Amino acid sequence: MAAHIRRRLRKGATTTAVAAAAVAALAASQAPAATLADGSAGSGDPKAAGEDTASGETDGAATGNSPYYTDLPPLVTPDKPGSSSNLPAAGSAEAGIPASVLAAYKQAERTVATTDPSCRLPWQLLAAIGKVESGQARGGRVDANGTASPRILGPALNGQGFALIKDTDGGAYDGDAVHDRAVGPMQFIPSTWASWGQDANGDGRKDPNNIYDAALAAGRYLCANARDLALAADLDQAVLSYNRSTEYLRTVRSWYSYYQRGTHEIPDGTGTLPSTPSTPSPSPRPGTGSGPSATPSPKPSPDKPGGKPSPGPSKPGGGGSTSPTPKPPTPKPTPPSATFGSLENAGTGPLRATAGQEFDERVSVLARNAVGAPLAKVPVTFTVTGGTGTLFAGGKKTVTVRTGADGTATAPKLQAGEKAGEFTVTAVAGTGRPRTLTYAATVTARQADAIARTDEKALVAAPGEKFADAVTVKATYKDAAAAGVAVTATMVKDRLGVIDNDKGPYFKDADGKPVRTLTTLTTDADGQLRLPEIFADDNEGTYLLRLTTEGGASVVIELTVKAPEETTPEEPAPDATGTPAATKP
């Protein structure tokens, strides 16, 4: 009958009323078009796809079941099946797709074919959804970058004829801080865009109003849950996950079939805008209403070949009933936001800090779902392990942070401990099969770039005695006092400190035994260090003490060991007679 109607239309002998009636008849009774894989008719029964399309719920619905255009394609197809998709700009205006919009669909197909080839995403399916959702971005009214201008917004999803979805993005995408609205050419609700948004045009932004970004996001969304869109059942599931409505599926399928038969490119801004959006009633009641969020009224439909139309909703397994019969809940696809894929480094740089200082770098991770989209609200636990004494700000070794809308979670700043050495920060996310990332970090000792004596007094001791004056030095770093810097003191034979000295001055250890190297010295809060007492052995001479700091600063100090000079008693002066005074009687 459809072929007969098409012949009459080509001859111009049919009336508008007949054409409208024929379109309605096709929408109500015609099986959906064949998929690309087998060429057979796919099932229009939503139950065959495992979906609960009568529900007003938005679980798994990219659009929040917002309104859509219900116009159907003309009965006259643009060309015979199998013809080129690059036909000249001629024929039915409905077959034309604006240049930027068509380019975005084809680019998305190529991208997904590379990242998820088993999905077998056809660009004609994106075109069908784009036609139903926004009329190909309002007939191609996009700028040079592919961004809809002005932006495309659906009505507030406030429960008045639509689903009730309270604001999830603070109005960032849809300008509504009370309720969410479907946004852009592919009509994503903000919460879904937060998980599935893409940057397909490389401008550094994931913009739901950009046709390139939106088309790729839609492609990845349709391919979720390992779907093969060349299979009729998987394609139906994908479309129903976009908008859980049987009529929506039929409308998209009709346009999909139409575009498979051929289309052509037209200039941006010259496309045909559909005129019949779905309009749910303002105050729907369960079982009534005309929108995609309302439960469709029962329609006669055969439950099995040869059966009679049932006046009420069909029961699983066939057989009609005069009253609704509860059916077991059908499994629903896992929401994309709950499908954990991977945990990645979100650009954390080298983790190094001086003892006691704050790390400049912070540990940051990125959570993605199974198809690579950022995953929000994932708890990530960060843990510090090691013996340096390093902790997160607030003195904690373990903290938990949830990922944001962009899928990233950043740990608090790290405060380095006083002990130099290496430690690790571990990030763990996910349950069942947790994902783990480990970051290596280093605490370096406090440093000084200069060290010098605080006075110039000569240091001298007699053999077997101790030096009376203490040795005091001050370490600095960039001309500021260097507190807590480790200092090594060594008795050496040369100023370069290449050869240690086993003779001459020495320190004493805790047992009172001579030692000529000390490695446990540290500058005080003012950067100063007073050395322990230094003793001389019996060898006279000039000796060297070399002090070196962490950071390479050094100073060499001279120590002199010599016996005190002996003094001869002076003779008494003679008197006037020339006789010494001591000899007088």
Side-chain angles (χ1 to χ4, degrees), residues 265-290:
E265 178 184 301
I266 61 176
D268 289 346
T270 63
T272 301
L273 188 65
S275 59
T276 313
S278 62
T279 52
S281 60
S283 301
R285 297 190 305 272
T288 65
S290 58

Side-chain angles (χ1 to χ4, degrees), residues 329-487:
T330 55
K332 296 176 181 177
T334 303
S337 59
T339 307
F340 202 109
S342 63
L343 191 66
E344 305 170 7
N345 184 354
T348 306
L351 297 169
R352 297 180 64 88
T354 301
Q357 303 299 310
E358 190 175 69
F359 281 73
D360 291 332
E361 196 74 19
R362 295 171 66 179
V363 178
S364 183
V365 299
L366 169 63
R368 295 185 184 274
N369 61 22
V371 294
L375 202 57
K377 299 181 180 179
V378 175
V380 181
T381 299
F382 299 93
T383 303
V384 175
T385 305
T388 64
T390 301
L391 298 171
F392 289 114
K396 296 181 179 180
K397 294 188 70 173
T398 299
V399 294
T400 299
V401 181
R402 288 185 177 270
T403 58
D406 61 353
T408 63
T410 302
K413 284 196 172 184
L414 289 163
Q415 181 72 33
E418 290 297 336
K419 186 175 181 180
E422 296 184 350
F423 68 98
T424 59
V425 179
T426 303
V428 180
T431 57
R433 189 169 65 87
R435 278 64 163 177
T436 303
L437 280 179
T438 300
Y439 298 80
T442 303
V443 175
T444 59
R446 296 174 186 263
Q447 297 183 354
D449 55 17
I451 186 170
R453 286 188 64 191
T454 57
D455 61 59
E456 297 296 331
K457 185 180 293 186
L459 299 169
V460 181
E465 302 293 332
K466 70 177 180 179
F467 287 81
D469 296 310
V471 177
T472 303
V473 294
K474 182 174 182 178
T476 57
Y477 182 72
K478 294 182 179 179
D479 297 326
V485 174
V487 179

Side-chain angles (χ1 to χ4, degrees), residues 86-470:
N86 296 310
L87 297 174
S92 172
E94 291 289 359
I97 298 178
S100 294
V101 179
L102 181 59
Y105 296 150
K106 291 184 176 181
Q107 177 179 296
E109 179 191 61
R110 291 192 299 269
T111 301
V112 173
T114 300
T115 60
D116 189 8
S118 62
C119 174
R120 294 191 280 184
L121 169 74
W123 67 261
Q124 292 90 342
L125 179 59
L126 295 175
I129 291 176
K131 179 71 171 181
V132 173
E133 292 295 348
S134 69
Q136 307 300 19
R138 289 194 302 245
R141 289 164 178 80
V142 296
D143 63 19
N145 296 319
T147 302
S149 180
R151 63 181 179 175
I152 302 172
L153 295 176
L157 298 174
N158 55 13
Q160 300 300 310
F162 314 119
L164 174 59
I165 306 180
K166 294 183 179 180
D167 175 67
T168 61
D169 66 331
Y173 293 124
D174 56 13
D176 191 333
V178 179
H179 296 96
D180 271 349
R181 298 170 181 258
V183 182
M186 305 304 277
Q187 288 289 277
F188 279 96
I189 55 174
S191 58
T192 305
W193 184 259
S195 294
W196 291 91
Q198 303 289 314
D199 176 18
N201 63 351
D203 65 354
R205 298 177 60 239
K206 298 175 182 178
D207 184 359
N209 269 290
N210 182 274
I211 184 59
Y212 291 95
D213 294 357
L216 181 56
R220 294 198 188 284
Y221 182 91
L222 293 167
C223 289
N225 298 325
R227 295 189 185 106
D228 180 354
L229 298 182
L231 302 178
D234 279 11
L235 188 143
D236 287 350
Q237 285 181 351
V239 175
L240 287 167
S241 75
Y242 216 85
N243 192 314
R244 300 175 67 82
S245 161
T246 306
E247 296 304 321
Y248 180 84
L249 172 63
R250 288 175 177 164
T251 305
V252 169
R253 274 287 204 162
S254 295
W255 282 106
Y256 175 46
S257 176
Y258 183 75
Y259 288 135
Q260 278 187 298
R261 286 173 165 82
T263 185
H264 57 268
E265 178 184 301
I266 61 176
D268 289 346
T270 63
T272 301
L273 188 65
S275 59
T276 313
S278 62
T279 52
S281 60
S283 301
R285 297 190 305 272
T288 65
S290 58
S293 297
T295 304
S297 300
K299 295 181 180 179
S301 61
D303 294 313
K304 57 184 178 179
K308 297 181 179 179
S310 58
S314 60
K315 295 185 293 185
S321 173
T322 57
S323 59
T325 303
K327 65 176 181 178
T330 55
K332 296 176 181 177
T334 303
S337 59
T339 307
F340 202 109
S342 63
L343 191 66
E344 305 170 7
N345 184 354
T348 306
L351 297 169
R352 297 180 64 88
T354 301
Q357 303 299 310
E358 190 175 69
F359 281 73
D360 291 332
E361 196 74 19
R362 295 171 66 179
V363 178
S364 183
V365 299
L366 169 63
R368 295 185 184 274
N369 61 22
V371 294
L375 202 57
K377 299 181 180 179
V378 175
V380 181
T381 299
F382 299 93
T383 303
V384 175
T385 305
T388 64
T390 301
L391 298 171
F392 289 114
K396 296 181 179 180
K397 294 188 70 173
T398 299
V399 294
T400 299
V401 181
R402 288 185 177 270
T403 58
D406 61 353
T408 63
T410 302
K413 284 196 172 184
L414 289 163
Q415 181 72 33
E418 290 297 336
K419 186 175 181 180
E422 296 184 350
F423 68 98
T424 59
V425 179
T426 303
V428 180
T431 57
R433 189 169 65 87
R435 278 64 163 177
T436 303
L437 280 179
T438 300
Y439 298 80
T442 303
V443 175
T444 59
R446 296 174 186 263
Q447 297 183 354
D449 55 17
I451 186 170
R453 286 188 64 191
T454 57
D455 61 59
E456 297 296 331
K457 185 180 293 186
L459 299 169
V460 181
E465 302 293 332
K466 70 177 180 179
F467 287 81
D469 296 310

Side-chain angles (χ1 to χ4, degrees), residues 490-505:
T490 306
M491 301 297 176
V492 294
K493 289 184 177 181
D494 61 297
R495 288 185 173 274
L496 295 178
V498 176
I499 303 173
D500 292 353
N501 205 339
D502 57 356
K503 295 180 180 180

